[in-house]
Amino acid sequence: MEHLTLVDGNSVMFRAYYATAYPGAVLMQTSQGVYTNAVFAFVNMMDKILEQTNGHILVAFDTAHPTKRHEKYQEYKAGRAAMPEELAQQIPLVKKYLDKAGIKQHEQIGYEADDIIGTLAKEASQNNIKVDVYSSDRDLLQLVDQNITVHLLKKGMKELDHYTPESLYEKYELTHHQMIDLKALMGDPSDNIPGIPGVGEKTAIKLLKEYETIENLYVHQDEIKGKMGEKIRENKELAYLSKDLVTINVESPLPFSYLETEKIKIETSDLIDFFKELELKQLVVRMANQNQNTLFKDEEKSDKKTDKSFSYDLILNDEKLNDIIFNHQEPMSIHFEFSEPNYHKAELWGIGLSNGENTYFIDPSIALNNQTFLNYLKNKEIEKYTFDYKAIKVFLMWHKKAIHTISFDMLLAAYLIKSSIGKEDFTTITSLFSSIDISYEEQIYGKGAKKGLPENKELYYEHIAKKASVIYKLKDDLLETLKDQNQLELLQKVEIPLSEVLASMEFSGLLVDNKELLNQKEVLEKRINVLEESIYKEAGETFNISSPKQLGDILFEKLNLSQGKKTKTGYSTNVEVLEKLKDEHPIIPYIMEYRQLAKLYSTYIIGISQSIFSDNKVHTIFNQALTTTGRLSSIEPNLQNIPIRTEEGRKIRKIFVAEKNHYLLGADYSQIELRVLADIANVKHLKESFLNNEDIHKSTAQKVFHVTDVTSEQRRQAKAVNFGIIYGIGAWSLAEDIHVSPKEAQMFIDRYLEIYPEIKQYMQDTVEFATENGYVKTLMNRRRYIPEINSKVFMQKEFGKRNAMNAPIQGSAADIIKVAMVDLFKYLEENDKKSKIILQVHDELILEVPEEELEEMKELVPAIMKKAVKLTVSLETSCDVGKNWYELK
DNA sequence: GCGATCAGCGCG
DNA sequence: GTGCGTGCTGATCGC
């Protein structure tokens, strides 16, 4: 043995936690709500440290028990803020990780991690063994010697500072022996070590350079003049006590020696299983890859990877497929595996089929040309179960094939049970509802540019087949849960039928006017070029205007404009900051215009061009199982954020047009969220206003400001409050929004809640419900879990409250329009109408309508939307038609 | 050359 | 510390 690594476990864990728990951060959690951010960062840190070791390593921890230091000084570490609950929960997990990784760990009652590390380090050093210590606690610098290097983690954990006797002297001009005295003189507020009052780092270093040690300082105490001298003489006791407290005990009675620190050989699969449990996908994949490399030597072990308890049959030809389908004219689960998430253009990699007892992998090129199989898919009498039905449906539509009668979709069911699964994959969702072990996609197919079918075909045959079997196996459990939670109707009457609607919308697509697109592209290019020139001229040099960093340098260093707030990485240059600088320099208006046009150009003109298919249409994908509130989202391209608020941006809408002899028809709910609020909170005055068809912001302003004639400014402010209320408002941010002082903003809110007292009551009740049950629900029993609401971290808890207040409102509005879509689609289908729903933008629907159906649809669409759900307030809708999207005002 | 992250900004 | 839910872009940085 020639090298030893010692890690201050508590200190590294703290850093690991706070590196990922900066204010406003959403902490990493498993789908069950177990916090894992600190474990993840800790493991990453340990991986880096392990690369530097050759086998001997120990991680030391503090215990909760008092130490010798507490006996000597009751106030030791007093006043230290309690460890956040989110971190405390992860300590046992980190310890478990160390066990699984074969890394020795130690904690000892009466001693701190420092003492354990100090004792082992000195012991090893005396035997001429090189020691590396890792911590973020500067106290450990006193251990530095010829053999011991101390590595201090800096903020964010990306960098380490290394301290040897030489570098220590360079930085402090003190020897490592003097580090104890330095700390003793300065004190340390975080450990509540007093030090000498009035002595900080500067003075302490000066004193130690002159007198070397505290002991010698007091031999010469009378030589020191002035106030400083007095203080030093007065606080002799404190200085010695402090020195005693900060001195690491390098002779702690440990039950083992530095020699017994060898890393134990481990079963990698155990560690992988542990990471899987915690859903730390990155770590699972990393370990699996490392493992693969070592497995080449060991063939036996690689057999262990294939699951013995799972078996499936391969179907690679028509005869066998005919046979199988003939024998299984019964409900089965079907899984289509695609080469990429965009199923409009994806290849089909394989099909899984299962009836619970038998599971099959079907060659995709066989399946799509086999009439028996295709007949099975479109047989309306036989139920099928899927995971992401819409993907299969749309894929088959592109191939002119049909599929019918889906009675269960695992993705939608899981989403209704727990809407936070939105961003998770099949594997994670599976592990949330069962203990079935199934590989991550990345393990099978790789990731990013390297994604593809593995050479070992059985690997993906099994994977795809297994997915089908999982769908079948989990079906009854999930349906049972939905039934218990009163959500069966939401699945069967809303979400699954909605899948059909969305599939049709996506497949229909939205036609693009190429001439208009090109025209706008050229106009924008010219204007952007002119603006660039003006900006360079004003700045006196060329630079990248799109780089906030470079722009910040120009504005705040070169032109010396008054800077507003800062971001994590530098000056903020966002629109709010620019707005304030508008009159300070002529360059600012140019930059603001440049920003606007550059956004339109890159995101909408160029971005959308890239998503146009060969039919000259864009085919978006609506994600039906993503948002935590129940809304849809739209990607590739996102058609839910096409500009409208400025005239400049709104022109983009001209590029989206109706097909020949068709019109676009847009119908939107007016104030749907406020109406939902009025209904579920039973807000008397709000309901009356809606009943009387009043301008809701105006009537709010009349009541808040006690006036009959409302100024436009008053209406604007009332509108901001109305919106704010829906989001779970705070006075501070409302103040920002409507440019008044926080105090005035608070007055507005108070007045508002006096006028609509039921809202206040509703908000209280909702937060209370969420605190007790851990979730909130919508009109149609959609749930959103809000674990943060019971957090001890203030910010997290407040965030939870706002979510609790907002989710039922936003979610109920989402429920309503979903029902309307299903109703409308059904009507169009049953009555053989040619009109098609093509877009949904949260509170509006857009249809493509043939000329001959136009008058009918103008009546019908709003009518169906209005009566989708019966509330105690009416739902009002407006309706417009035009040849392109721009004309729908 | 790729992936992750940040700042910024578009929508309801 | 400070109003909800989204997706996409270009710049930047680390590997």
Side-chain angles (χ1 to χ4, degrees), chain A residues 9-17 38 42 61 87 90-91 94:
Chain A
N10 287 77
S11 145
V12 173
M13 256 203 81
F14 262 83
R15 269 294 145 87
Y17 177 78
F42 186 91
F61 286 97
L87 171 56
Q90 295 184 67
I91 293 177
V94 162

Side-chain angles (χ1 to χ4, degrees), chain A residues 836-885:
Chain A
K836 287 183 293 192
I837 312 176
I838 54 175
L839 283 183
Q840 187 251 46
V841 192
H842 311 307
D843 65 354
E844 67 175 316
L845 294 179
I846 294 172
L847 285 83
E848 191 170 55
V849 179
E851 200 156 2
E852 68 269 22
E853 290 178 9
L854 196 55
E855 290 311 312
E856 183 189 359
M857 290 302 147
K858 272 159 104 176
E859 300 292 324
L860 182 91
V861 176
I864 289 186
M865 286 171 73
K866 272 186 206 180
K867 62 173 196 210
V869 168
K870 181 93 185 116
L871 299 184
T872 55
V873 288
S874 67
L875 289 172
E876 295 301 324
T877 51
S878 67
C879 180
D880 285 297
V881 292
K883 289 301 282 184
N884 62 48
W885 199 353

Side-chain angles (χ1 to χ4, degrees), chain A residues 789-807:
Chain A
I789 204 158
N790 288 310
S791 168
K792 285 173 188 158
V793 180
F794 179 82
M795 275 236 306
Q796 305 268 343
K797 192 183 179 74
E798 291 300 306
F799 179 65
K801 287 186 195 168
R802 294 196 297 271
N803 279 321
M805 295 185 272
N806 171 262

Side-chain angles (χ1 to χ4, degrees), chain A residues 313-557:
Chain A
D313 287 327
L314 264 180
I315 304 178
L316 302 175
N317 60 56
D318 285 305
E319 293 71 39
K320 190 144 185 218
L321 183 53
N322 290 337
D323 210 37
I324 297 293
I325 299 295
F326 183 78
N327 285 314
H328 291 302
Q329 290 290 310
E330 61 192 1
M332 283 194 279
S333 59
I334 299 178
H335 179 69
F336 278 39
E337 188 88 322
F338 295 116
S339 59
E340 58 156 306
N342 190 329
Y343 44 74
H344 290 299
K345 50 188 184 191
E347 275 174 56
L348 181 59
W349 274 354
I351 297 174
L353 199 63
S354 177
N355 72 349
E357 283 182 21
N358 308 97
T359 299
Y360 307 97
F361 172 89
I362 313 175
D363 182 304
S365 52
I366 302 289
L368 289 189
N369 294 303
N370 180 295
Q371 207 48 53
T372 315
F373 179 70
L374 294 173
N375 285 338
Y376 175 83
L377 289 184
K378 69 181 184 194
N379 186 332
K380 292 190 177 171
E381 304 302 313
I382 305 176
E383 294 183 4
K384 290 114 200 162
Y385 318 130
T386 54
F387 180 98
D388 197 0
Y389 168 51
K390 178 161 65 73
I392 299 176
K393 175 94 186 178
V394 173
F395 177 84
L396 288 173
M397 287 169 96
W398 280 107
H399 290 80
K400 301 192 169 69
K401 316 277 191 248
I403 177 168
H404 293 294
T405 321
I406 270 51
S407 61
F408 173 76
D409 186 83
M410 181 173 140
L411 175 62
L412 295 176
Y415 176 62
L416 292 187
I417 293 169
K418 201 159 194 285
S419 58
S420 57
I421 59 111
K423 292 181 177 98
E424 310 293 351
D425 58 11
F426 192 103
T427 310
T428 309
I429 294 171
T430 301
S431 69
L432 178 58
F433 296 106
S434 74
S435 55
I436 298 172
D437 190 49
I438 174 166
S439 304
Y440 287 111
E441 308 294 295
E442 294 155 53
Q443 278 175 281
I444 306 291
Y445 304 114
K447 220 184 131 184
K450 277 174 268 172
K451 184 175 174 182
L453 287 177
E455 281 195 22
N456 180 356
K457 291 186 173 180
E458 277 170 32
L459 219 53
Y460 76 86
Y461 289 168
E462 177 181 308
H463 186 65
I464 294 170
K466 200 164 186 179
K467 283 190 181 178
S469 108
V470 167
I471 295 168
Y472 199 100
K473 282 185 188 152
L474 292 191
K475 177 186 68 104
D476 289 341
D477 276 357
L478 295 193
L479 285 175
E480 185 69 31
T481 306
L482 287 171
K483 198 177 161 200
D484 290 347
Q485 299 185 170
N486 244 325
Q487 293 182 300
L488 262 188
E489 192 180 330
L490 185 54
L491 177 71
Q492 293 167 346
K493 297 279 159 55
V494 182
E495 297 294 352
I496 290 179
L498 183 69
S499 275
E500 305 272 359
V501 184
L502 295 173
S504 151
M505 293 163 64
E506 294 173 3
F507 183 68
S508 294
L510 176 55
L511 191 62
V512 171
D513 179 345
N514 259 323
K515 232 170 113 186
E516 178 67 24
L517 182 70
L518 234 80
N519 186 22
Q520 290 204 26
K521 178 168 183 263
E522 279 166 21
V523 171
L524 280 174
E525 274 167 357
K526 279 187 193 134
R527 291 184 59 194
I528 289 171
N529 280 333
V530 172
L531 281 166
E532 268 176 8
E533 289 308 316
S534 311
I535 291 168
Y536 296 151
K537 199 173 152 212
E538 292 293 342
E541 64 181 289
T542 63
F543 63 102
N544 187 344
I545 311 166
S546 301
S547 159
K549 192 165 171 276
Q550 293 182 36
L551 180 62
D553 285 345
I554 295 282
L555 296 184
F556 305 116
E557 309 264 345

Side-chain angles (χ1 to χ4, degrees), chain A residues 766-798:
Chain A
T766 307
V767 168
E768 198 179 311
F769 183 91
T771 312
E772 271 168 31
N773 299 285
Y775 70 90
V776 290
K777 56 181 200 262
T778 67
L779 277 180
M780 309 218 41
N781 272 333
R782 187 185 301 282
R783 284 188 182 195
R784 169 164 182 180
Y785 285 87
I786 305 177
E788 302 91 337
I789 204 158
N790 288 310
S791 168
K792 285 173 188 158
V793 180
F794 179 82
M795 275 236 306
Q796 305 268 343
K797 192 183 179 74
E798 291 300 306

Side-chain angles (χ1 to χ4, degrees), chain A residues 629 631 671-678 680 686 690 696-697 718-730 734 749 752-753 759 762-763 766 801-813:
Chain A
T629 54
R631 276 189 175 182
Q671 308 297 346
I672 190 168
E673 290 189 337
L674 275 178
R675 285 173 197 265
V676 164
L677 175 63
I680 57 181
L686 208 45
F690 281 126
I696 198 68
H697 303 311
K719 186 176 173 182
V721 184
N722 273 331
F723 273 100
I725 287 292
I726 291 168
Y727 300 145
I729 201 164
L734 178 65
I749 296 171
Y752 187 97
L753 294 175
I759 294 182
Y762 164 77
M763 296 297 178
T766 307
K801 287 186 195 168
R802 294 196 297 271
N803 279 321
M805 295 185 272
N806 171 262
I809 302 171
Q810 195 185 112
S812 298

